[in-house]
Amino acid sequence: DSGVTQTPKHLITATGQRVTLRCSPRSGDLSVYWYQQSLDQGLQFLIHYYNGEERAKGNILERFSAQQFPDLHSELNLSSLELGDSALYFCASSASGNTIYFGEGSWLTVV
Amino acid sequence: QQQVKQSPQSLIVQKGGISIINCAYENTAFDYFPWYQQFPGKGPALLIAIRPDVSEKKEGRFTISFNKSAKQFSLHIMDSQPGDSATYFCAANQAGTALIFGKGTTLSVSS
């Protein structure tokens, strides 16, 4: 158990809808990262938050957004969903160093 | 994003054999090179990591070899076991930044 908690574990939704994925980082970790994993693209970095502030953006679509709250939990919002957004979404957290710990992921299926 | 290139995409090794996975990176500012192991339905878990000031690090049956001048690093799994069958990802980053991942290697160890 990495200590990173993600909910929900699975969700199925229709095209055009909006969903919110939630993440609780490891106790004390200030950094939260979101990654998308699909079969053909591997693990793609989406966005990084540190102590409530956005630090870096990766391959995140404009339809996607994230935030980190004062209690350090984070949410990834995915809107106007398309079939191609079906993927496993991981949250990861770290302290101030390099090592990053991943949650178990949220599996999103868009139908 | 700076790339991390990983090969091979898939690997089949007999039980007791040596599994070797290679990665190459571009950004010379990277100072941390981990390998993650992922089982189906699970999040990536840190396996072993190395920093560029050493050329090799060994933990049990797992060894990272690092060649700074060639900007390459590799994972060696000695005495491979069926339980090692998983997807392995190399990655790289600087402290406080997102990990950039290779595309992964699916390892199958046949008994």
Side-chain angles (χ1 to χ4, degrees):
Chain A
D1 183 2
S2 67
V4 179
T5 303
Q6 289 187 246
T7 58
K9 292 192 186 304
H10 298 90
L11 71 163
I12 302 173
T13 190
T15 54
Q17 294 299 304
R18 171 189 169 97
V19 299
T20 297
L21 310 181
R22 296 174 177 80
C23 169
S24 293
R26 295 188 324 149
S27 178
D29 283 359
L30 299 180
S31 274
V32 169
Y33 304 85
W34 286 96
Y35 285 82
Q36 180 192 56
Q37 185 173 35
S38 55
L39 284 175
D40 58 344
Q41 292 295 322
L43 279 158
Q44 294 285 309
F45 165 61
L46 295 178
I47 197 163
H48 170 205
Y49 274 82
Y50 178 83
N51 201 21
E53 299 289 327
E54 182 184 303
R55 272 287 178 93
K57 276 186 173 180
N59 297 324
I60 189 166
L61 300 172
E62 286 192 7
R63 300 183 285 109
F64 296 179
S65 64
Q67 58 185 136
Q68 186 180 25
F69 295 87
D71 66 353
L72 301 179
H73 91 273
S74 178
E75 293 181 356
L76 179 66
N77 300 296
L78 315 175
S79 62
S80 302
L81 286 166
E82 302 175 359
L83 296 178
D85 297 327
S86 295
L88 196 50
Y89 291 86
F90 286 106
C91 170
S93 75
S94 73
S96 58
N98 296 87
T99 305
I100 295 176
Y101 298 90
F102 282 78
E104 297 285 272
S106 291
W107 184 264
L108 172 65
T109 302
V110 182
V111 297
Chain B
Q1 289 184 30
Q2 298 292 331
Q3 285 187 319
V4 175
K5 295 183 179 179
Q6 183 172 346
S7 63
Q9 189 173 1
S10 62
L11 183 61
I12 299 174
V13 173
Q14 287 204 335
K15 180 181 175 182
I18 302 173
S19 304
I20 301 174
I21 306 170
N22 301 299
C23 280
Y25 64 97
E26 298 175 357
N27 187 348
T28 55
F30 288 151
D31 60 3
Y32 179 71
F33 302 87
W35 286 89
Y36 281 76
Q37 180 188 55
Q38 185 180 27
F39 292 104
K42 298 292 186 181
L46 179 64
L47 187 62
I48 186 173
I50 197 167
R51 295 193 182 275
D53 53 344
V54 297
S55 60
E56 186 174 283
K57 182 175 181 180
K58 184 176 181 179
E59 290 184 0
R61 297 184 293 107
F62 300 92
T63 300
I64 299 179
S65 297
F66 187 83
N67 185 329
K68 188 174 180 178
S69 62
K71 294 190 286 186
Q72 295 175 348
F73 58 111
S74 60
L75 175 69
H76 295 232
I77 305 174
M78 311 299 288
D79 187 27
S80 299
Q81 299 297 312
D84 297 331
S85 297
T87 300
Y88 293 81
F89 292 93
C90 62
N93 75 345
Q94 298 171 259
T97 67
L99 281 168
I100 305 302
F101 284 86
K103 295 217 168 189
T105 297
T106 301
L107 171 65
S108 296
V109 181
S110 60
S111 54

